[in-house]
Amino acid sequence: MAGTIKLSSGYEMPMVGLGVWRMEGKSIRDLLLSAIKTGYRHFDCAAKYQNEAEVGEALEEALQSGLVKREDLFITTKLWNSDHGQVLEACKDSLKKLRLDYLDLYLVHFPIATPHTGVGTTASVIGDDGVLDIDTTISLETTWHAMEDLVSNGLVRSIGISNYGIFLTRDCLAYSKIKPAVNQIEAHPYFQRDSLVRFCQKHGVCVTAHTPLGGATANAELFGSVSCLDDPTLKALAKKYNKTIAQLILKWGLQRNIVVIPKSSKEERLRENFQLSDFTISNDDMDKIKAIDRKYRTNQPAKFWGIDIYE
C-alpha cells in the first residue's frame, strides 16, 4: 500500500489510484472489481470519459456484495468545459450515473468554458474557423464559487482543479473561500513540472499526476507522442531496482509527494502498479531521473481543438 495524503479539506486521499479514461463496456466491471480486490480504493473518473454509468454499475456491485464499504472508496470525477454554467446539474448527473450520494473529489477538468451542449453531453464545439468555441462570458471564478456550493450542499467532500498552471492556480487560491484541494496535471519524467509542483505543494494544493507514465500507447495513438517508458536511463534504473519501468516511474512520482493515477487494462499491470512500497529510489537516482526532463507534454488537445490552450 502506498498510503494516503491529507488534503486541505481534511480528507485523506489514497496516493495510488486507477484512472478509467478510455476504458469501455464490460471490461470496466471486471477491471474495477479486480482493482478493488487488489487493494485500489481511489478511482479517477470524468464526465468526458463517457463511462460513468458503467463505472457506477461496477461500484454498486462492489458495494452491495460487501467487497468494499463506501467510506473506504475515494471517487473523483470532473466537470466538463461545456458545463461551467451548469455546475450543480452536471455534478448531479455524474452522481446519478456513478450511483453515489456524494463525490470524494470534484475537479474542474480544464480552465476553459465552452458553449453548453446539454448536461453530460461533453461536446466540444469547433467553429467554422477550425478553432474551439470558448465561452468568454463565464469566468473561472464564477465556476469555482459554484463548485464551493456543492461542498456546502453535501454533494462533494473536496473540490479541485485540473490542468491549471501557476498563474491560474494562484488566482484560484486568491478568490476561493474553499481552497482547491488538488491540482491534477500531466506529470511524468519527460514533463516533470517542477515549478508548478513546488508552487502547489507550498500552498497546500495536493498534486495528482494524470498520464503519470507519459501516456504510453494511448497518447501515442491519439497525439502521436513519445513515451518515457522506452528511455534508456529509466530502463537501466528499473533493472537496478529489479522493478518494471512503470513501477520505477510511479515510485518516482510518490517520492515527489505526488498522487499517481495510472491507467491499465491488464490485470497483471494493475497488480504491478500497486506494488510500490517495497523499495525506495536513492537521492542520486532521483537526480538522474530529474536530468531526463524534456518539458514534453503528451496530452495535447490542440490536435482536436485547433488551439493550444496552454499558450
Side-chain angles (χ1 to χ4, degrees):
M1 288 287 287
T4 62
I5 189 166
K6 191 165 190 174
L7 303 177
S8 60
S9 58
Y11 291 99
E12 300 279 339
M13 179 181 191
M15 293 283 291
V16 179
L18 180 67
V20 304
W21 182 49
R22 297 189 89 199
M23 288 188 186
E24 295 172 5
K26 183 182 180 301
S27 65
I28 290 180
R29 173 194 173 274
D30 297 342
L31 272 168
L32 259 62
L33 294 178
S34 287
I36 290 169
K37 286 171 187 167
T38 299
Y40 286 86
R41 294 295 178 264
H42 173 183
F43 296 94
D44 184 81
C45 314
K48 180 61 179 172
Y49 304 161
Q50 292 288 295
N51 58 11
E52 287 175 316
E54 290 85 353
V55 170
E57 286 175 23
L59 291 176
E60 186 174 68
E61 183 176 337
L63 290 167
Q64 287 186 350
S65 67
L67 184 59
V68 69
K69 293 191 179 88
R70 174 64 186 99
E71 57 266 30
D72 296 329
L73 290 173
F74 191 100
I75 309 298
T76 301
T77 196
K78 308 181 193 81
L79 174 79
W80 185 241
N81 309 334
S82 54
D83 285 333
H84 277 225
Q86 284 79 23
V87 172
L88 176 61
E89 295 85 349
C91 179
K92 284 182 173 176
D93 185 63
S94 286
L95 282 168
K96 184 178 176 185
K97 287 172 180 166
L98 289 165
R99 306 187 185 196
L100 298 174
D101 296 325
Y102 68 90
L103 294 170
D104 295 280
L105 178 64
Y106 197 42
L107 302 177
V108 179
H109 202 148
F110 279 98
I112 52 166
T114 59
H116 184 59
T117 54
V119 170
T121 57
T122 68
S124 297
V125 179
I126 308 297
D128 295 337
D129 58 358
V131 174
L132 178 71
D133 282 346
I134 293 176
D135 186 341
T136 56
T137 67
I138 303 173
S139 72
L140 292 174
E141 181 173 352
T142 301
T143 302
W144 188 254
H145 291 321
M147 296 283 285
E148 291 173 328
D149 289 343
L150 299 176
V151 179
S152 312
N153 292 334
L155 297 176
V156 176
R157 288 186 163 181
S158 304
I159 49 176
I161 52 184
S162 183
N163 301 305
Y164 278 49
I166 288 177
F167 294 152
L168 289 176
T169 304
R170 189 215 73 89
D171 271 6
C172 190
L173 287 166
Y175 57 62
S176 57
K177 294 193 290 286
I178 300 173
K179 304 298 179 195
V182 169
N183 187 10
Q184 184 179 127
I185 58 171
E186 178 177 346
H188 47 80
Y190 279 0
F191 197 39
Q192 298 188 17
R193 321 293 298 277
D194 201 45
S195 294
L196 177 55
V197 169
R198 285 190 293 173
F199 175 83
C200 288
Q201 291 177 341
K202 182 181 174 103
H203 291 278
V205 181
C206 168
V207 175
T208 296
H210 71 69
T211 327
L213 300 174
T217 315
N219 281 11
E221 285 172 11
L222 270 181
F223 306 112
S225 53
V226 176
S227 168
C228 59
L229 288 169
D230 297 320
D231 186 88
T233 299
L234 297 177
K235 281 183 173 175
L237 287 173
K239 191 173 180 184
K240 171 182 173 180
Y241 288 95
N242 196 27
K243 296 293 173 186
T244 67
I245 296 175
Q247 285 173 320
L248 178 87
I249 294 172
L250 295 172
K251 185 68 172 187
W252 167 81
L254 294 177
Q255 286 185 212
R256 297 174 78 206
N257 215 26
I258 293 174
V259 173
V260 292
I261 46 170
K263 168 195 178 299
S264 181
S265 51
K266 296 183 174 67
E267 292 198 21
E268 182 186 348
R269 296 249 176 87
L270 275 183
R271 286 192 293 276
E272 283 177 357
N273 290 348
F274 200 69
Q275 292 164 353
L276 304 170
S277 57
D278 60 347
F279 74 111
T280 301
I281 303 170
S282 71
N283 290 337
D284 282 352
D285 289 338
M286 288 293 285
D287 287 341
K288 284 178 187 169
I289 299 174
K290 187 173 179 132
I292 67 169
D293 190 5
R294 296 184 181 186
K295 300 196 170 9
Y296 179 71
R297 186 190 299 277
T298 69
N299 189 299
Q300 185 45 281
K303 181 174 177 187
F304 308 105
W305 291 349
I307 185 172
D308 181 358
I309 61 160
Y310 300 112
E311 281 284 327

